[in-house]
Amino acid sequence: MESFEGKVVEIIYRNDENGYTVGVMETVENEIITFVGTFISIEESDYFKISGNQKLHPSYGMQLDVKSYEIPNLGNKKSILAYLSSGIIDEIGPKMAGRIVDLFGDDTLEIMDNNPQRLLEVEGIGKKKQIKIIESYKSKVRLRSIIVSLAEFDISPNIAMKLYKAFGDETISVIKSNPYEICSKIKGIGFIKADEIARKVGFARDSIHRVGQGIKYVLEEFCYQGNVFMYLEDLQDKSLRLLGCGIEKFEQGIYELCISGQSVLENKDGVKRMYLYNFYKVENAVAKMTVDLINQQTKMDFTQRSAETMIRETQDRLGKKLAERQKVAVLNALENGLMVLTGGPGTGKTTIVSFIIECYEQIGKKVTLCAPTGRAAKRLAESSGRKASTIHRLLEVGYADESEQEGFYNRDESNPIDTDVLIVDEMSMVDLFLIKALLCAIKPGTVVIMVGDKDQLPSVGPGKVLWDFIECGKIKTVTLQEIFRQSKESNIIINAHRVNQGQGLELVKGSDDFFFMARNNHSEAADLIVELISKRLPEYFGVKSEEIQILTPIKKSESGVNELNKRIQEAVNPPKKEVSEFKHAERVFRTRDKVMQIKNNYEKEYTGYAGVESGKGVFNGDIGYIDAVDTRAKQFYISFEDGRRSRYEFSEADNIDHAYAVTVHKSQGSEFDIVIIPILSMPSVIQSRNILYTALTRAKKAVVIVGSMYHINKMISNTSLIERNSSLSERIVSISELLNEKSEKPAFNEIQEETYDNQRSKS
């Protein structure tokens, strides 16, 4: 093994989760070496002694494979000077380091540890600088010591930094006294990791801290799958299996969670349900605001004309005639403070929305349009001829701490959206927390019209808001079922409705918009998909490969998202001398790659083009293309499809993924000209009718299904929706009925007067 001592001058790659690092060191002998290894904590300008074996990498040349490293024993003047000159300590550069070491020699660090006021003897160091130097020095020493100690518990440097930020010098004592405390403080450390740490420090297995956090972990895992509550019986069963404790301890844990305000236990008709406190609070708030909207008296002044007259005049002006059910929908939108419009493809939702907008604008009302995703908002704008934005942008989302479920919005009760009518499209994608934020930002008297397809997949986030709004029976709802003449010519729409009704696909010979290509296994399907997207479909339809979208129900297997993205990238955007690229973990990103943002980033800045203003916010599900890669600056740029362009550091590539293929869930709210759908064997939980239905309704011009008719029919026959525990519908009903009961009773002052009159007559 060889050893080198020196300063880290560049971090080429760093994975904070496992500590794997590729970097460059300048040694004390002025050599430049590239090293690779796992480091607990490392930054540019850090000073290390590293040991390992030299190896030749086929792409990156000679590297030192680091087997061990240490902060060298800085017991001599040369080592101390090199360490201080590295820039690791604030306010000390090479010149200042020279002055300090010249004055104190081998005793420099001992003086900084035990007699720091003597730094004032150094030329150029005053009281303020001396304080900053010592604060920086001590924090580096403390932090490194804590990180090294936490490494014994397999805590990554990234998490260690968060722990230190939360607990400071108390970090180690917190870990040893109650490791479960970190579950509520640090995102990234859950119960399982805390439990591992607890075992290593000898923490009691029957501690109430462990039981409480274990129960909360089970509840969180269940709720983060889209549920709002968990039945206590199910929670008990799963918690006892996880914790290995008795029922008495479980009940004590439930009590502690409720008393501390972390959870809520509700008894509904003898059945007990457990909520995370925030979920309970938000669901109640949404129910209350929804009832307020239902009961509000809108101040829509139709002057001399009736709603029927307005619809008739709008039909004449637009040259379009509404079907009877469509007229009912427009009338309801004009007469109610809150309305839901639902229906499948081809049933006329877009036409109705256009009429609603026209009618309201005729009487001078401001109409605002929004949708959950950038693609959905863009499509809404194109179909309506009006401006539309994402819900996040409409709410003027600000920075949201990663531990918060709701986020932060600049639009709320104190700063509501300035509009008379709000139309929200693709409501099936809206979760409980987003609808709460939206309803909070609506001023009294605003008409709200919610549009969506109740048969599509529910939102990724918790709840089933659109379904609950329809199910409660208190909100005026119009359901469209008739497919209009022009849509009846589309085999895509015909088959989408057949699937939704539980019927098999209708394959028409000679169809130019719906194709089925049989393949027996995932490997054969993947081979065909690569050929289709790279050659056959672009030639047949005269389109580019990037205009074709693969939607797959699964992530793994050869026809899943991960493998298809690798193969399609190599087929449609292979490595070329003129194409810049960079590697991040096991993935390669190139200029012209189709990518998707997979995490909300409220602070990500973007410049606008195509009529879009500059601003902040890039969100989970946004699709775009890498249009430039700057390998020297370690940066790349993404142009999103709705007119935003953002700059990313190479280290931010964890926030994106290739998007040649995406899951059906990720495609919600989007439409694509041509869609390829592989359907073969898959886990039973996703082999459902509404997943296939959702995939089919994403296509505008053509659908190609590749796979097995047997598995297609299994999906169609599986009528079970993705079950979710939600109590929003019943809360809306309960609040509505309670308000009705109150309104039927005489007012308090009327009761007083009646009682007084009775007493007078008796006397």
Side-chain angles (χ1 to χ4, degrees):
M1 270 201 320
E2 299 178 76
S3 296
F4 299 90
E5 184 179 318
K7 179 175 72 171
V8 178
V9 293
E10 183 180 8
I11 304 294
I12 297 173
Y13 171 74
R14 170 79 175 164
N15 185 327
D16 285 328
E17 287 305 311
N18 58 27
Y20 180 77
T21 306
V22 180
V24 177
M25 170 181 281
E26 181 179 356
T27 71
V28 290
E29 285 80 22
N30 296 320
E31 291 183 77
I32 299 294
I33 63 164
T34 301
F35 62 88
V36 295
T38 300
F39 289 75
I40 296 167
S41 173
I42 188 169
E43 298 175 2
E44 290 182 2
S45 297
D46 276 357
Y47 193 85
F48 285 117
K49 180 179 180 181
I50 55 178
S51 301
N53 300 314
Q54 294 272 10
K55 65 178 184 179
L56 183 64
H57 189 280
S59 301
Y60 302 107
M62 194 63 70
Q63 298 177 333
L64 183 74
D65 185 12
V66 178
K67 301 301 181 185
S68 65
Y69 72 95
E70 59 184 298
I71 301 173
N73 180 12
L74 304 177
N76 60 72
K77 185 175 178 180
K78 181 180 179 182
S79 295
I80 295 171
L81 177 61
Y83 176 67
L84 294 182
S85 297
S86 69
I88 193 170
I89 308 300
D90 294 346
E91 304 291 333
I92 298 181
K95 289 184 179 178
M96 182 59 70
R99 290 181 205 156
I100 294 171
V101 175
D102 284 345
L103 185 59
F104 301 123
D106 294 348
D107 298 327
T108 297
L109 297 186
E110 193 276 332
I111 287 171
M112 292 179 72
D113 283 328
N114 302 311
N115 199 6
Q117 67 273 16
R118 288 200 61 194
L119 286 177
L120 296 171
E121 300 173 19
V122 179
E123 181 186 352
I125 296 182
K127 188 63 179 174
K128 287 184 179 179
K129 181 172 281 193
Q130 181 256 355
I131 292 172
K132 288 182 180 179
I133 289 172
I134 294 305
E135 284 179 350
S136 176
Y137 173 71
K138 288 186 176 180
S139 69
K140 292 284 184 181
V141 171
R142 284 197 305 268
L143 176 58
R144 196 175 298 281
S145 172
I146 287 171
I147 287 174
V148 170
S149 298
L150 292 178
E152 298 175 21
F153 309 125
D154 296 325
I155 295 178
S156 73
N158 189 33
I159 299 299
M161 291 288 287
K162 292 180 180 180
L163 286 170
Y164 182 72
K165 185 177 179 181
F167 301 110
D169 293 345
E170 302 299 315
T171 300
I172 301 299
S173 63
V174 167
I175 292 292
K176 292 182 177 179
S177 63
N178 179 15
Y180 299 100
E181 186 177 345
I182 65 180
C183 296
S184 59
K185 296 280 188 180
I186 309 296
K187 187 171 183 179
I189 292 190
F191 173 79
I192 300 300
K193 187 66 178 178
D195 211 32
E196 290 176 9
I197 297 170
R199 281 198 297 272
K200 291 181 178 179
V201 298
F203 203 75
R205 304 294 289 164
D206 63 348
S207 162
I208 192 59
H209 296 302
R210 177 176 185 267
V211 173
Q213 285 302 320
I215 295 170
K216 187 180 178 185
Y217 166 74
V218 172
L219 181 59
E220 285 175 338
E221 287 293 294
F222 188 72
C223 289
Y224 291 152
Q225 293 170 18
N227 300 287
V228 180
F229 68 84
M230 191 172 187
Y231 290 107
L232 187 64
E233 185 178 347
D234 295 335
L235 179 59
Q236 176 179 300
D237 182 54
K238 291 188 177 181
S239 297
L240 295 185
R241 286 205 303 268
L242 172 71
L243 297 167
C245 65
I247 293 177
E248 187 177 331
K249 274 288 182 183
F250 170 79
E251 291 175 347
Q252 188 181 351
I254 291 290
Y255 177 79
E256 291 293 333
L257 285 173
C258 293
I259 288 297
S260 64
Q262 298 179 67
S263 302
V264 175
L265 182 63
E266 184 179 64
N267 191 328
K268 178 67 176 176
D269 300 327
V271 179
K272 294 180 179 179
R273 308 186 296 203
M274 192 80 169
Y275 297 78
L276 293 168
Y277 173 72
N278 209 25
F279 283 49
Y280 180 82
K281 179 182 72 173
V282 169
E283 190 178 69
N284 274 285
V286 169
K288 177 64 171 64
M289 289 186 286
T290 301
V291 174
D292 288 344
L293 271 174
I294 295 168
N295 294 332
Q296 76 175 354
Q297 296 295 315
T298 59
K299 299 177 181 179
M300 292 302 165
D301 181 12
F302 292 99
T303 62
Q304 303 278 318
R305 64 183 84 193
S306 66
E308 290 90 343
T309 303
M310 188 181 299
I311 292 172
R312 189 165 54 251
E313 290 177 355
T314 304
Q315 287 183 127
D316 293 339
R317 189 173 66 257
L318 297 181
K320 293 180 180 179
K321 188 174 181 180
L322 295 177
E324 200 57 41
R325 192 64 178 162
Q326 290 178 312
K327 287 181 185 176
V328 170
V330 177
L331 280 170
N332 276 295
L334 298 176
E335 294 172 352
N336 293 278
L338 176 62
M339 174 200 157
V340 170
L341 175 64
T342 183
T347 55
K349 295 194 299 293
T350 299
T351 300
I352 292 169
V353 169
S354 296
F355 266 78
I356 293 169
I357 295 169
E358 287 283 341
C359 289
Y360 273 118
E361 287 183 343
Q362 275 188 65
I363 56 171
K365 300 301 179 182
K366 182 178 179 181
V367 181
T368 300
L369 309 179
C370 64
T373 66
R375 267 184 170 266
K378 184 179 180 182
R379 194 176 73 249
L380 180 60
E382 290 170 349
S383 64
S384 66
R386 309 300 197 281
K387 182 181 177 182
S389 71
T390 62
I391 297 174
H392 285 92
R393 197 164 302 141
L394 179 66
L395 294 173
E396 297 178 9
V397 64
Y399 174 76
D401 186 89
E402 63 183 354
S403 65
E404 293 294 323
Q405 179 73 25
E406 293 182 71
F408 171 81
Y409 302 97
N410 290 308
R411 292 288 182 179
D412 55 19
E413 300 96 325
S414 62
N415 182 30
I417 300 164
D418 180 23
T419 193
D420 300 308
V421 182
L422 180 66
I423 298 177
V424 189
D425 199 9
E426 294 288 354
M427 265 298 298
S428 62
M429 297 182 65
V430 177
D431 66 31
L432 190 64
F433 286 87
L434 188 56
I435 195 64
K436 186 253 184 182
L438 189 60
L439 294 181
C440 280
I442 295 171
K443 64 184 179 183
T446 302
V447 172
V448 179
I449 299 160
M450 299 180 175
V451 184
D453 185 345
K454 64 181 178 60
D455 295 314
Q456 287 188 22
L457 294 170
S459 58
V460 175
K464 45 180 182 176
V465 176
L466 178 61
W467 191 91
D468 279 332
F469 279 171
I470 296 170
E471 182 70 13
C472 73
K474 299 294 182 180
I475 300 172
K476 187 63 68 173
T477 300
V478 177
T479 302
L480 305 173
Q481 294 176 324
E482 179 187 355
I483 305 175
F484 289 94
R485 183 174 53 81
Q486 63 271 28
S487 296
K488 288 180 180 177
E489 299 171 4
S490 167
N491 288 298
I492 300 171
I493 291 176
I494 289 170
N495 277 308
H497 283 273
R498 287 182 66 85
V499 167
N500 203 28
Q501 294 162 10
Q503 301 172 0
L505 297 178
E506 185 177 274
L507 302 177
V508 178
K509 189 175 182 180
S511 170
D512 62 354
D513 69 348
F514 200 96
F515 307 88
F516 170 69
M517 306 182 80
R519 289 298 183 273
N520 295 320
N521 57 59
H522 290 281
S523 178
E524 291 177 359
D527 290 341
L528 176 57
I529 289 169
V530 173
E531 184 182 353
L532 285 170
I533 198 170
S534 60
K535 295 178 182 177
R536 292 169 64 173
L537 290 179
E539 291 173 2
Y540 184 82
F541 286 102
V543 298
K544 296 178 181 178
S545 295
E546 53 261 34
E547 297 175 55
I548 303 166
Q549 185 62 55
I550 299 167
L551 304 181
T552 173
I554 55 180
K555 289 186 175 180
K556 297 179 180 178
S557 90
E558 289 179 87
S559 66
V561 166
N562 299 335
E563 286 302 315
L564 283 176
N565 270 322
K566 290 178 185 176
R567 291 193 59 182
I568 293 165
Q569 182 197 37
E570 291 307 302
V572 304
N573 192 24
K576 297 177 183 176
K577 285 186 178 180
E578 65 273 17
V579 176
S580 297
E581 66 176 49
F582 68 98
K583 187 174 182 181
H584 185 81
E586 299 302 316
R587 300 175 299 166
V588 175
F589 292 98
R590 298 189 183 106
T591 305
R592 294 200 292 272
D593 266 344
K594 186 177 185 179
V595 293
M596 174 185 281
Q597 178 81 13
I598 58 173
K599 298 177 183 176
N600 286 337
N601 187 336
Y602 302 98
E603 286 294 284
K604 172 60 69 177
E605 295 182 351
Y606 60 82
T607 55
Y609 63 95
V612 175
E613 296 179 358
S614 298
K616 289 183 178 181
V618 179
F619 305 105
N620 187 0
D622 289 347
I623 291 178
Y625 298 87
I626 296 177
D627 62 28
V629 173
D630 186 342
T631 53
R632 294 186 65 184
K634 294 183 176 57
Q635 295 173 339
F636 62 101
Y637 293 79
I638 298 176
S639 290
F640 292 99
E641 294 175 326
D642 62 352
R644 292 167 296 150
R645 185 173 189 258
S646 287
R647 183 183 67 193
Y648 289 71
E649 305 296 326
F650 282 3
S651 59
E652 294 180 281
D654 285 334
N655 293 308
I656 65 167
D657 209 344
H658 293 98
Y660 300 104
V662 300
T663 61
V664 178
H665 280 86
K666 286 285 190 182
S667 73
Q668 281 184 273
S670 299
E671 277 190 344
F672 310 94
D673 284 344
I674 302 168
V675 167
I676 302 173
I677 310 170
I679 303 290
L680 284 149
S681 60
M682 66 186 77
S684 58
V685 69
I686 57 174
Q687 195 165 26
S688 66
R689 179 185 297 176
N690 59 342
I691 287 182
L692 178 56
Y693 173 74
T694 300
L696 293 178
T697 56
R698 300 306 89 206
K700 291 192 290 184
K701 294 181 180 178
V703 164
V704 182
I705 298 181
V706 177
S708 156
M709 190 59 72
Y710 169 77
H711 288 102
I712 292 171
N713 290 332
K714 280 194 73 173
M715 293 186 82
I716 294 171
S717 64
N718 183 2
T719 59
S720 61
L721 294 172
I722 296 177
E723 293 296 331
R724 288 190 170 184
N725 291 346
S726 167
S727 43
L728 177 61
S729 175
E730 68 185 51
R731 290 194 194 284
I732 293 171
V733 173
S734 297
I735 294 172
S736 295
E737 292 175 350
L738 183 63
L739 289 176
N740 288 336
E741 286 177 12
K742 287 182 178 179
S743 65
E744 290 170 2
K745 293 178 180 178
F748 180 68
N749 62 339
E750 293 173 348
I751 296 172
Q752 280 185 314
E753 288 172 6
E754 183 184 349
T755 305
Y756 176 71
D757 289 340
N758 288 340
Q759 287 174 342
R760 260 202 328 181
S761 62
K762 287 178 182 178
S763 63

